[in-house]
Every structure is written in C-alpha cells, then in structure tokens.
Amino acid sequence: MARRKLIYEGKAKILYEGPEPGTFVQYFKDDATAYNAEKKAVIEGKGVLNNRLSEFFMLGLAGIGIPTHFIKRLNMREQLIRQVEIIPLEVIVRNVAAGSMAKRMGMEEGAALPRPIVEFSYKDDALGDPLVPEEYIIAFGWASQQDLDDIVSIALRVNDFMSGIMHGVGIKLVDFKIEVGRVWDGDFQRLIVADEISPDSCRLWDVETGQKLDKDVFRRDLGSLADAYTEVAKRLGVLPSNVTHAPTKPTLIN
C-alpha cells in the first residue's frame, strides 16, 4: 500500500491527502493536551470516541441544513472530509460562565449568562490563542463583516442544536468552540463547519450532579477522561449502553 502523504499534524488529529482531489483523511489521535500542550498524556481509545462523536454531531448538523466538511467515516479512527480554507479563528459560544471567561470576568463558575455569547480567538498556539475583537478580524483581513455575521449565525444555530441534543440526555452544554472554513464553487464562497465537534471542544456537565464530562476532567485531574467521554457516547447512543470503558477494538455501533 502506498504511503499516504501527510498534510498536517496537530495536537489531537492528523490530516492526510485524501483519495480524491479536494478531500483529506482526518485521523483522530489518542493524545490529550491542555494549557497549550503544557500538559500531555495518551488516553487509550480517546481518538476512537472523538471520531465517532464528531461524526454523530456533523451528521446531525447536516440534517438541519448546516453544511460541514464531513463526508463519511472510514474506520474507527478516520473520516473523509472536504478540503477547506480554514479561517484562522476559534469561534467560541458560551451559555454558562466557566473556564477562562469566569476567571477573566471575575464570575462564579456555573453562573448562567443572560444569552449565548459568541467570542473569537486567533488561532496561534505560540500566542495562546488570544481573544480578538471583530475590528481586528476585519482589519487584518481574516474575515469580512458579512463573513462574521454569517459565522455568528452558524455558531448560534449549532448552539441551539447541540444544547437540545445534550439536554435530552441530561447534559448541560456549558460552552464549545468550532472552526469555520471556506469552500469555493467558482467565484462563489460558502462557509461550513470544519475541524471537529467532540468533548475535546465542548464543556459538558451532568444536569443533575454537575459532574464534568469533557476535557476539564484531564485539565483538572478529576478522574478518567476515557470514562467521561464514554459516558457522553453512551448517553447519545453512539456506544451500546453496556460498554463500561473507552473502546480499543471495533465495538462501536453503526
């Protein structure tokens, strides 16, 4: 078998050249990182869970008319995706004060916000992904005002979908981040959801107990990250309910 061409390797995923022009193969690693990779570990089965969970959410978004880069899942750790021009921003939607926002604003973690708040951070690990205002984004040419309006609209629609799905299985969607990319049909541009949506990119709390079911488990040494992600997958029906640990073999249901 010919060796695949490596396109990009990040902290949690690897992109390879796809089988057709305009496609990539996205591979989900077991690596866990926090605090801009100052804290690292390998969590067996994490990549399998995130691959399957991201597929679940991307298909759900497509089902309500929100375009994504997802084409299909290839195997336990890989999915076929569209090649997109990534806008160099993390788009953060917050429903509850937590993490850096609670610290920055002097708010008690868990305080409900009056409405969902959309923030932008510039994707640059060396700078710590700093928050940036819309004026910076437009001035530096990362996106136009129309792009930003469309991105906010997409982010809030994703929030509505994700909040509803999570509430239905007893999970509070505290916040999440997405990335948005451009695809071109001739001179016509479309914005689509890219990267991934998984517990790596969300804060998820149990509605009844407040138990954290996201990467804060790893950040704050609160227990087993694999168990937390497995619990999310089980509640969403991505894993059979009798699974008690992160899968390392092909146990995911279709």
Side-chain angles (χ1 to χ4, degrees):
M1 181 181 293
R3 189 174 182 87
R4 294 183 297 183
K5 180 180 178 182
L6 176 69
I7 301 298
Y8 169 81
E9 181 167 1
K11 290 176 286 190
K13 295 181 295 296
I14 303 173
L15 291 181
Y16 295 101
E17 187 176 56
E20 301 291 340
T23 66
F24 289 144
V25 172
Q26 182 167 253
Y27 175 93
F28 287 78
K29 298 158 56 174
D30 282 342
D31 297 34
T33 63
Y35 310 116
N36 280 328
E38 292 179 11
K39 182 176 183 179
K40 302 178 183 179
V42 175
I43 311 296
E44 188 175 9
K46 171 179 170 288
V48 174
L49 287 164
N50 280 352
N51 181 31
R52 188 62 177 87
L53 283 163
S54 193
E55 174 197 23
F56 174 84
F57 292 126
M58 293 291 186
L59 288 175
L61 292 176
I64 61 169
I66 299 176
T68 80
H69 73 167
F70 180 84
I71 299 173
K72 65 179 179 179
R73 177 164 56 92
L74 298 174
N75 53 50
M76 295 289 285
R77 290 185 178 273
E78 295 178 327
Q79 51 187 237
L80 185 67
I81 61 173
R82 293 190 65 177
Q83 181 179 351
V84 302
E85 177 191 330
I86 291 289
I87 296 172
L89 301 170
E90 290 183 347
V91 184
I92 305 160
V93 182
R94 299 184 182 274
N95 299 305
V96 176
S100 62
M101 180 190 195
K103 182 178 180 179
R104 186 171 69 246
M105 300 302 295
M107 300 177 70
E108 181 179 354
E109 187 162 79
L113 300 175
R115 62 177 178 82
I117 294 175
V118 180
E119 298 178 330
F120 300 99
S121 68
Y122 177 53
K123 281 177 56 63
D124 189 315
D125 287 343
L127 298 176
D129 300 328
L131 286 178
V132 289
E134 291 190 6
E135 287 80 1
Y136 283 29
I137 296 168
I138 295 168
F140 294 135
W142 300 327
S144 68
Q145 183 63 63
Q146 184 61 58
D147 289 337
L148 289 177
D149 292 344
D150 292 342
I151 289 170
V152 169
S153 177
I154 290 170
L156 292 176
R157 290 184 66 199
V158 172
N159 187 49
D160 287 344
F161 167 77
M162 293 280 292
S163 294
I165 289 289
M166 290 300 185
H167 183 75
V169 295
I171 296 174
K172 179 186 293 185
L173 179 65
V174 173
D175 56 41
F176 67 91
K177 63 182 179 183
I178 57 173
E179 293 184 19
V180 175
R182 299 183 178 97
V183 293
W184 299 87
D185 295 316
D187 293 333
F188 179 69
Q189 169 196 282
R190 285 195 302 141
L191 299 177
I192 66 174
V193 177
D195 191 45
E196 69 173 303
I197 300 177
S198 75
D200 268 8
S201 57
C202 304
R203 276 195 176 87
L204 307 171
W205 296 352
D206 181 86
V207 168
E208 296 294 331
T209 67
Q211 177 187 2
K212 292 175 173 57
L213 300 170
D214 54 70
K215 202 162 73 170
D216 275 348
V217 172
F218 173 69
R219 290 187 186 99
R220 303 182 185 185
D221 297 315
L222 299 177
S224 167
L225 187 68
D227 287 350
Y229 286 19
T230 298
E231 178 64 20
V232 174
K234 286 166 56 178
R235 292 197 195 186
L236 292 169
V238 171
L239 287 180
S241 60
N242 61 350
V243 172
T244 58
H245 58 279
T248 57
K249 297 182 180 179
T251 55
L252 291 171
I253 61 175
N254 291 322

